[in-house]
Amino acid sequence: HAHHRRLGGGVSPLMKNIAVTLSSAGLVALVINFLRLPLILAYLLSGMLVGPLGLNIVQSHLAMTEMSNLGLIFLLFMVGLELDVKALVTKMGPACYLTGLVQLPICSAVMAVIFLGLETTGISFGEGKYGALYCGAVGGFSSTMLVVRLLENNAMGDSQQGRFTIGVLICQNIWAIVILALQVNLSDASFTGFFRTFGCLICLVVFALFYAKFVMPAALYCASQSVELMLVLA
């Protein structure tokens, strides 16, 4: 019958993609670790291997985006487990704050000039008038996840150079909040929209800090009697 319910009528594409990407990441990581190279390289290579540009096992670019977002969450979780932001902020000096304040504007301005120069040669960086500016702004950033992971892998997270580097990256993340608040209003410079977006971001940060400070510790304490419940909440 048409309405007959079948059990086990096929593998979910999401589960297949997760299984393939995790298996690929594990196998490539073994090889990369044997070669004594950073494991970040293994994650990048495994994604290229199973994606549309490689073996085409994960055929959709949308599916690859979903897998990359999932991997990004895990990577952020791993970085967060090893990063003590409170201790890091107390150890950063004025030089770190000054560097973080001026580094991104200077680097983004230089990159924007480069992209604008390339645009004059006929190279397109997307639709609209601000494609080159967006590319310049993004080009001034560093990847916090990759840098922190590499510092931890080389046991440099607690060194003076490592703390300075992470401090500058934290300042870059603060700059990112400002840019995210501004970028939606470049075509229509409305201060109302800017303050609304920036206000929502501030409320989100305050809520996250409040949740991490008061709600989550209390919830984990109440769930400490059950290992299974602790695992689910974590």
Side-chain angles (χ1 to χ4, degrees):
H1 297 283
H3 299 288
H4 181 68
R5 183 183 180 92
R6 290 195 306 165
L7 297 177
V11 179
S12 167
L14 177 61
M15 296 303 297
K16 184 194 76 171
N17 292 338
I18 291 176
V20 168
T21 52
L22 289 179
S23 301
S24 171
L27 293 174
V28 177
L30 286 175
V31 177
I32 294 298
N33 186 62
F34 177 77
L35 297 175
R36 299 185 180 278
L37 296 174
L39 291 180
I40 291 293
L41 179 60
Y43 305 149
L44 296 174
L45 290 177
S46 62
M48 295 175 60
L49 179 64
V50 302
L53 299 178
L55 299 177
N56 201 26
I57 300 175
V58 182
Q59 301 176 356
S60 169
H61 286 279
L62 179 60
M64 285 301 299
T65 301
E66 294 175 348
M67 293 300 101
S68 63
N69 290 336
L70 182 62
L72 186 63
I73 292 172
F74 281 119
L75 189 57
L76 283 172
F77 183 75
M78 294 167 61
V79 170
L81 288 177
E82 302 175 4
L83 186 62
D84 189 350
V85 178
K86 183 178 180 180
L88 180 66
V89 171
T90 58
K91 295 177 181 179
M92 291 192 305
C96 182
Y97 291 112
L98 180 61
T99 304
L101 181 66
V102 302
Q103 176 267 328
L104 183 67
I106 293 175
C107 291
S108 295
V110 172
M111 295 301 297
V113 170
I114 294 175
F115 281 109
L116 287 171
L118 292 174
E119 194 174 47
T120 58
T121 64
I123 300 176
S124 175
F125 295 102
E127 299 179 359
K129 300 181 295 182
Y130 304 104
L133 294 179
Y134 281 127
C135 290
V138 173
F141 283 93
S142 302
S143 175
T144 303
M145 297 163 297
L146 296 181
V147 174
V148 171
R149 198 64 191 161
L150 288 174
L151 289 174
E152 295 295 338
N153 289 341
N154 292 280
M156 295 180 61
D158 289 330
S159 65
Q160 182 178 1
Q161 297 85 351
R163 291 196 298 267
F164 187 89
T165 301
I166 297 175
V168 173
L169 292 174
I170 292 176
C171 293
Q172 283 190 4
N173 294 333
I174 297 174
W175 272 113
I177 296 175
V178 177
I179 292 176
L180 287 173
L182 286 171
Q183 64 93 16
V184 295
N185 299 296
L186 283 180
S187 58
D188 183 16
S190 171
F191 285 101
T192 303
F194 164 73
F195 286 119
R196 185 188 299 114
T197 305
F198 200 70
C200 291
L201 289 171
I202 292 177
C203 291
L204 179 62
V205 171
V206 171
F207 174 78
L209 292 175
F210 177 83
Y211 182 83
K213 182 72 174 179
F214 300 104
V215 179
M216 198 61 186
L220 292 176
Y221 177 78
C222 295
S224 58
Q225 302 297 326
S226 171
V227 177
E228 182 178 356
L229 185 56
M230 281 282 291
L231 179 61
V232 172
L233 286 178

